[in-house]
Amino acid sequence: MTDRRLTLMAVHAHPDDEATGTGGVLAKAAAEGIRTVLVTCTDGRCGDGPGGVKPGDPGHDPEAVAEMRRGELEKSCAVLGVSHLELLEYADSGMIDWPQNSAPGSFWSTPVSEAAARLAELMRRYQPDVVVSYDENGFYGHPDHIQAHRITMAAVAETGLPAKVYWTTAPQSGMQELRRIMLELGADWDEPDGETPEIGLPDEQITTWVDTNEFSDQKYDALAAHASQDESIFFLRMGRENFASLMGVETFVRVHDTTGAPLPEDDLFAGLR
């Protein structure tokens, strides 16, 4: 227990990731007076350009996309009440097996030790009590998400600072309903062979369930701030009511803890206040 201001640090791969998996806990923490630090690792240049133009297609300007997405990220942070935004500004590596994976300056091609050292410096500066990032598979296998996981865990090991470390996840109990809505909205959910990809965890493996319903509108608005990516942010097509019912609880796996707080828990800061 401490009288100093608590700090939450979220380490994400791209602009808009902060809103999808942690928009609720970031807004909730900010409302509770907790300092929130968002570290965004890449510039998002492999996102859609104006009019939905895709990377590699005529009219897609990676530099312009990166600049546009930075502005959207700043708007999202304002909506969520993020105290500090830190940009590592590595080049977006694109999806698995894209040529951007190995491009000079891409996040995926950057040595883990190099990027982790930069993140460790930020951890020393902000002294986070709680750090949130992704699991070993980056939640769904995106190279930049996997790299964000790797540098986060390396920086945690190097600094030994956070009292608690979490990985984002989703309960499989709710995935079928999400899949149904996604398919109704025309989203590509199934694998090419027709099988549903395994995303999330069995409910009993989830350690931390945080009710963020009170902040669903902020989370929705933060996603909406990333207007250039609305084609791929299918959550926005749900409408606010479906969004709140499906996205109003954010779930995590606690992978490091020095507080002894019992599990399961409903507060990332259990044991710290």
Side-chain angles (χ1 to χ4, degrees):
M1 306 295 288
T2 178
D3 291 331
R4 71 176 180 82
R5 189 181 184 188
L6 293 168
T7 297
L8 168 64
M9 175 180 282
V11 183
H12 282 291
H14 311 99
D16 77 36
D17 290 332
E18 79 289 340
T20 306
T22 58
V25 293
L26 286 168
K28 183 176 188 292
E32 294 171 348
I34 293 169
R35 182 172 63 166
T36 51
V37 181
L38 170 63
V39 180
T40 301
C41 297
T42 80
D43 57 12
R45 66 178 54 218
C46 289
D48 292 351
V53 63
K54 305 300 181 185
D57 288 347
H60 188 279
D61 181 344
E63 296 293 340
V65 170
E67 182 178 356
M68 174 177 61
R69 297 195 71 185
R70 176 171 179 163
E72 292 175 340
L73 177 60
E74 291 170 350
K75 291 178 183 178
S76 172
C77 286
V79 169
L80 296 174
V82 170
S83 308
H84 301 276
L85 172 62
E86 294 288 347
L87 305 172
L88 298 187
E89 296 189 296
Y90 291 107
D92 188 338
S93 309
M95 300 300 287
I96 193 71
D97 295 328
W98 282 19
Q100 290 92 337
N101 291 178
S102 56
S106 75
F107 190 36
W108 184 244
S109 68
T110 299
V112 169
S113 59
E114 176 185 318
R118 295 181 61 197
L119 181 57
E121 181 181 349
L122 292 175
M123 288 185 181
R124 294 187 183 98
R125 182 188 310 171
Y126 289 108
Q127 300 281 307
D129 301 279
V130 174
V131 170
V132 177
S133 192
Y134 314 106
D135 62 19
E136 301 99 321
N137 192 46
F139 186 65
Y140 70 102
H142 193 297
D144 287 331
H145 288 236
I146 294 170
Q147 188 78 328
H149 159 81
R150 290 173 176 171
I151 73 163
T152 298
M153 299 314 293
V156 166
E158 179 179 334
T159 63
L161 286 171
K164 307 178 84 175
V165 178
Y166 294 89
W167 297 341
T168 60
T169 191
Q172 289 181 350
S173 63
M175 295 308 289
Q176 287 303 315
E177 178 65 7
L178 180 58
R179 175 180 181 272
R180 181 188 67 77
I181 291 175
M182 285 178 62
L183 292 175
E184 286 181 358
L185 296 172
D188 182 14
W189 178 260
D190 289 335
E191 295 290 347
D193 60 6
E195 295 183 3
T196 301
E198 286 297 322
I199 299 177
L201 290 172
D203 291 25
E204 62 271 17
Q205 294 181 26
I206 295 174
T207 65
T208 310
W209 303 68
V210 183
D211 183 350
T212 60
N213 271 287
E214 183 181 350
F215 306 95
S216 291
D217 279 341
Q218 276 177 264
K219 182 172 178 175
Y220 187 94
D221 290 342
L223 273 170
H226 297 279
S228 69
Q229 309 304 305
D230 63 350
E231 182 179 326
S232 59
I233 303 177
F234 62 84
F235 298 108
L236 295 175
R237 286 176 265 165
M238 291 181 180
R240 289 184 183 270
E241 185 175 346
N242 279 334
F243 182 86
S245 65
L246 286 169
M247 307 292 287
V249 175
E250 292 181 349
T251 51
F252 305 87
V253 176
R254 193 175 83 189
V255 295
H256 171 74
D257 173 66
T258 63
T259 70
L263 295 175
E265 61 187 0
D266 59 6
D267 179 10
L268 296 181
F269 291 86
L272 290 168
R273 58 181 174 179

